[in-house]
Amino acid sequence: MDVSNSTVLLIPHFWGPVTATLDWCEANYQFSSYIAETANTFSNLFTVGLALFGAYQARAQSLPPRYLAGYSGFALVGVGSFIFHATLLFEAQLADELPMVYVASYCCAILFDTTRGFGLKDSRRALSLAAAVISFNVLFTWSYYISRNPIYHQVVFAALLGITGVRTIYLLRDQEIAKRVPEEVKSTVARLFSFGAATFAFGFFVWNLDNIFCGTITRWKHALGWPAAFILEGHSWWHILTATGTYLMLVGNTYFTLCIKDDYQNFGIEPAMGLPCIRRVHRAKAQ
């Protein structure tokens, strides 16, 4: 949604005028002079919490550092989005949008490294992929700062998600990978990734409903009254749904690449606090 939010501002702007190229359906500075969009800001705590939970699990299971970096980047996206929606400043918008592309490109690149082992010495492809990701993100950062076109960001981000999806499907069907990873593992990966992708897509659908029918939804909010009206903040649901979808896709692809690059018998999926988590399997020694 462009910066055309016609909602009357009830409280002065602590952060000054809106300079971001995007604004959302939620009324600005409705409850505090320090928080531009209350629901859109604090819904990011769900994102950060889910990402930190994933990072904790990766650390607790001693997974290779590349996976801890992925969850840390996921948390950074939530922090950047929190700052953006709290201030609606262009600089804060970059803190939200740029990490989205950085993390998406990083996670996408991991799927292209399928050789055994996790050290840089184990795979020349890992070095070339790292160089490609860094170069791509430097170029994107420069070009996006110059263009300041949010559609450009959205297209690049969607393309990275699309490549990730296609690559995941390719690996699930690859005959060489099938020699290392049994069907039951691939079935678990497919289920986690597909459910995560569907949840993410549903979040995008809700976000667009919020944009298209903003006027109608705003009238519903006033009729319902606060705090109950917070349930109608569609962009906040985007944060919650996409965070959930991202977590599920990360768990699925982390599990998959661990099984590809290591021994599938060393890992499994178990629930923790109602969420799927990767666990190292400690096999009993023969007596």
Side-chain angles (χ1 to χ4, degrees):
M1 182 177 179
D2 295 330
V3 184
S4 58
N5 192 332
S6 59
T7 304
V8 176
L9 302 179
L10 305 178
I11 298 176
H13 303 216
F14 176 83
W15 302 103
V18 172
T19 59
T21 60
L22 292 169
D23 199 352
W24 312 103
C25 188
E26 184 178 7
N28 298 342
Y29 294 99
Q30 185 175 7
F31 302 103
S32 169
S33 61
Y34 300 97
I35 302 294
E37 297 175 338
T38 302
N40 288 349
T41 297
F42 287 103
S43 58
N44 283 290
L45 295 180
F46 181 84
T47 303
V48 175
L50 205 54
L52 292 179
F53 177 76
Y56 170 78
Q57 294 297 328
R59 180 78 174 176
Q61 299 302 313
S62 300
L63 300 186
R66 64 175 62 190
Y67 301 113
L68 180 60
Y71 285 110
S72 299
F74 181 20
L76 182 62
V77 172
V79 171
S81 184
F82 184 102
I83 297 170
F84 169 41
H85 289 287
T87 65
L88 290 180
L89 299 176
F90 178 69
E91 294 79 7
Q93 181 180 346
L94 294 179
D96 174 15
E97 294 179 330
L98 292 179
M100 290 173 64
V101 171
Y102 299 162
V103 175
S105 61
Y106 174 80
C107 293
C108 181
I110 286 177
L111 289 173
F112 285 85
D113 179 19
T114 57
T115 55
R116 294 283 192 179
F118 294 96
L120 292 178
K121 294 181 180 179
D122 297 318
S123 173
R124 292 182 180 180
R125 178 177 289 187
L127 289 172
S128 60
L129 285 170
V133 168
I134 292 171
S135 300
F136 169 80
N137 284 313
V138 168
L139 179 61
F140 174 76
T141 300
W142 171 79
S143 60
Y144 184 53
Y145 186 82
I146 296 298
S147 71
R148 303 196 177 195
N149 184 346
I151 301 299
Y152 172 45
H153 168 268
Q154 292 163 14
V155 168
V156 171
F157 181 65
L160 289 169
L161 293 181
I163 294 171
T164 298
V166 170
R167 179 63 177 174
T168 300
I169 294 171
Y170 174 82
L171 292 177
L172 287 169
R173 297 180 177 180
D174 185 82
Q175 294 303 312
E176 288 300 314
I177 299 299
K179 297 176 182 177
R180 306 186 213 173
V181 183
E183 285 300 319
E184 58 267 25
V185 170
K186 292 195 293 182
S187 177
T188 298
V189 171
R191 186 166 57 252
L192 284 169
F193 188 86
S194 60
F195 188 68
T199 304
F200 196 105
F202 183 63
F204 181 70
F205 173 71
V206 172
W207 171 29
N208 278 278
L209 289 180
D210 195 55
N211 286 342
I212 296 169
F213 301 105
C214 179
T216 300
I217 294 171
T218 298
R219 290 192 294 273
W220 291 352
K221 292 175 192 175
H222 286 284
L224 187 59
W226 281 268
F230 282 131
I231 200 172
L232 296 177
E233 297 294 352
H235 194 74
S236 298
W237 283 108
W238 150 264
H239 291 156
I240 293 169
L241 291 166
T242 55
T244 302
T246 298
Y247 176 83
L248 293 173
M249 289 188 287
L250 275 175
V251 170
N253 277 350
T254 297
Y255 179 47
F256 195 21
T257 52
L258 282 168
C259 293
I260 291 171
K261 295 179 68 60
D262 199 329
D263 185 341
Y264 76 90
Q265 298 181 81
N266 291 333
F267 305 96
I269 297 290
E270 296 180 4
M273 297 179 65
L275 295 170
C277 297
I278 296 168
R279 291 284 185 267
R280 283 191 178 272
V281 177
H282 300 288
R283 287 172 285 180
K285 296 181 180 180
Q287 299 296 321

